[in-house]
Amino acid sequence: MSKNIQIATLGGGCFWCTEAVFQEVKGVVKVVSGYAGGNVPGKPTYREICSGLTGHAEVIQITFDANSISFEDILVIFMTTHNPTTLNQQGADKGTQYRSVIFYHTETQKVIAEEVLKQLQGYFDAKIVTEISALPIFYEAESEYQNYYKENTQQGYCSFVIAPKLATLRKLHADKLK
């Protein structure tokens, strides 16, 4: 089967959570944690992002084979494994760096994102506040923040925050797993 490689850039709170989710999805070739959407020039550091002063969101960049999984399916998984109804917050993590955001790469991705959010709104009790914006620049996070869950599964945050998101993924999207 020939590959149709595409890229999606998504922020759903802490990038450790979204990275762990998409590492288990069939058709995903690579997941890279990073930062996007800020208002200060130059590559930010994790410490600068955590301050909330740069305007960047913690995001992941997913490289996927669209012959195996569609962008729409990627978005449905994304929207159902984080809370897209809390502004600038995921659980105890608060600040613009934790906002729910879809950074589109093409106009087609923008249209699909808008449609997916419309279709899913009825499944949520509150209004979806996920931002949809053109991807400005993606900055890859430092190496110690890549593959975080797999290398730190016993760490408290991983056990109490990421593991339940993975359980939701496995329950709702078993047919999309590797």
Side-chain angles (χ1 to χ4, degrees):
M1 171 161 67
S2 66
K3 293 192 176 195
N4 178 5
I5 301 300
Q6 295 184 23
I7 296 174
T9 304
L10 310 171
C14 175
F15 50 32
W16 299 336
C17 296
T18 50
E19 176 192 64
V21 164
F22 283 98
Q23 285 176 331
E24 294 196 9
V25 175
K26 187 175 14 181
V28 170
V29 177
K30 178 172 72 168
V31 182
V32 178
S33 290
Y35 320 110
N39 52 25
V40 295
K43 182 179 180 179
T45 65
Y46 181 74
R47 179 166 284 165
E48 291 168 334
I49 297 300
C50 288
S51 75
L53 299 176
T54 70
H56 291 86
E58 288 191 17
V59 298
I60 57 167
Q61 196 156 76
I62 304 164
T63 303
F64 65 99
D65 180 354
N67 290 336
S68 297
I69 188 163
S70 68
F71 182 64
E72 181 177 2
D73 285 340
I74 293 275
L75 293 182
V76 170
I77 292 168
F78 169 66
M79 296 297 289
T80 56
T81 54
H82 83 289
N83 184 347
T85 67
T86 54
L87 185 62
N88 300 327
Q89 178 181 354
Q90 287 298 305
D93 294 332
K94 296 180 181 177
T96 57
Q97 67 270 33
Y98 302 116
R99 67 188 180 271
S100 177
V101 59
I102 299 166
F103 286 113
Y104 60 87
H105 293 248
T106 65
E107 286 300 312
T108 299
Q109 282 189 350
K110 177 184 179 186
V111 169
I112 292 169
E114 291 169 344
E115 186 58 32
V116 166
L117 268 59
K118 277 188 223 168
Q119 290 175 2
L120 292 178
Q121 180 58 69
Y123 293 96
F124 293 93
D125 292 332
K127 183 180 186 310
I128 291 174
V129 295
T130 302
E131 171 189 334
I132 300 173
S133 297
L135 178 69
I137 298 174
F138 171 79
Y139 296 103
E140 186 172 326
E142 300 85 342
S143 61
E144 62 264 32
Y145 303 116
Q146 305 298 330
N147 205 33
Y148 191 84
Y149 177 76
K150 286 186 177 182
E151 294 181 15
N152 299 280
T153 55
Q154 299 308 312
Q155 196 254 12
Y157 187 89
C158 293
S159 299
F160 295 109
V161 178
I162 300 174
K165 290 178 187 270
L166 292 174
T168 298
L169 169 73
R170 293 173 188 137
K171 179 181 176 185
L172 296 178
H173 305 287
D175 62 324
K176 301 280 190 274
L177 300 181
K178 291 180 180 174

